[in-house]
Structures are given as structure tokens and as C-alpha cells.
Amino acid sequence: MSVRTINRVYSFKHPFHLLGRAQSLPAGTYCVETYEELEKGDSFVTYQPVLSLLHINGTSVSSNARVSIQVSLEELDLAIMMDELATEEIALLNGNISEQEQHLLGELRRVSRFGTARSPFSSVIR
């Protein structure tokens, strides 16, 4: 069986939480190593993820220590989306958006409250 390794870098602007961890992880850049196995179908060949490890540098025990924890790529993608939403919310609270963006957000809120047609953003912006 053939195995390949994919390395990705995830950057978080805010502390984030992963399932199964008691504490949040600090904002920063994290390397994720994903091992994929070759799967052969009747007419195709694909690689399927088997294991993903998030590498955490510098623990409280030693700044040179490196800890790796098993994670789900879906959970990391969700954490990235939540981090981006938090950044947008902070911008909204600080008033760092244009007048046009404020108008659009107002319209999205109005449609999601009173309109029969649901906006694709209605579940995100309330």
C-alpha cells in the first residue's frame, strides 16, 4: 500500500478550541501533517486521509518541546471558519467597515427576519 504525506499550514488570529482538549490553543501558525493511503477503485485511484497530526511548538514544560495531537481536518476547517468570523465580528464592533458594507449587512438581517426567501448568509449573520 502506498502512503503519502501532505503538509499544510494553518494560521489562527485568535485562540481556538479543538474537541477533546481541555484548554484552548493560542493564536498562531500551526503545521498539520496528513498521511493518506492509496485506494484503487475499478476505474480510478484516490488518496484517502488516514491520520492528521497538529504540531504544537513550545509547550509550558519547555520552549523547545514539540507535541503532536491527532486532529480531524474537518474540525480544523471549522476552527478556521470560526476564526475568520471572529475577525469579521471584531471589525463590525470596531466599526471598521464601509458604509456600503453596513447597508448590505442591514439588508441581510432584514431579509432573514422578515422575508420569506432565506439568504445564504442568514445562518451566519443574525
Side-chain angles (χ1 to χ4, degrees), residues 38-42 44-46:
L38 181 67
E39 279 194 17
K40 295 180 181 178
D42 292 337
F44 60 89
V45 175
T46 63

Side-chain angles (χ1 to χ4, degrees), residues 73-124:
L73 293 178
E74 292 82 11
E75 187 177 4
L76 280 175
D77 289 339
L78 179 61
I80 285 290
M81 288 187 337
M82 297 302 290
D83 189 61
E84 290 170 358
L85 282 174
T87 301
E88 290 174 14
E89 286 179 11
I90 289 171
L92 285 171
L93 292 173
N94 292 336
N96 293 338
I97 61 173
S98 70
E99 190 174 314
Q100 183 180 11
E101 289 169 324
Q102 289 175 357
H103 177 72
L104 177 61
L105 286 171
E107 287 298 311
L108 287 171
R109 287 187 186 110
R110 185 184 61 75
V111 167
S112 68
R113 283 189 206 137
F114 304 113
T116 56
R118 300 246 339 155
S119 164
F121 300 105
S122 62
S123 63
V124 177

Side-chain angles (χ1 to χ4, degrees), residues 7-65:
N7 291 307
R8 293 185 183 105
V9 175
Y10 288 82
S11 294
F12 293 91
K13 296 177 185 167
H14 309 283
F16 64 101
H17 186 79
L18 296 174
L19 293 176
R21 292 204 45 96
Q23 297 178 334
S24 294
L25 294 169
T29 302
Y30 294 85
C31 179
V32 176
E33 203 169 40
T34 301
Y35 297 92
E36 298 179 333
E37 277 185 350
L38 181 67
E39 279 194 17
K40 295 180 181 178
D42 292 337
S43 59
F44 60 89
V45 175
T46 63
Y47 280 92
Q48 296 297 318
V50 177
L51 174 69
S52 294
L53 297 172
L54 175 78
H55 300 293
I56 305 169
N57 293 326
T59 63
S60 58
V61 176
S62 167
S63 61
N64 294 328

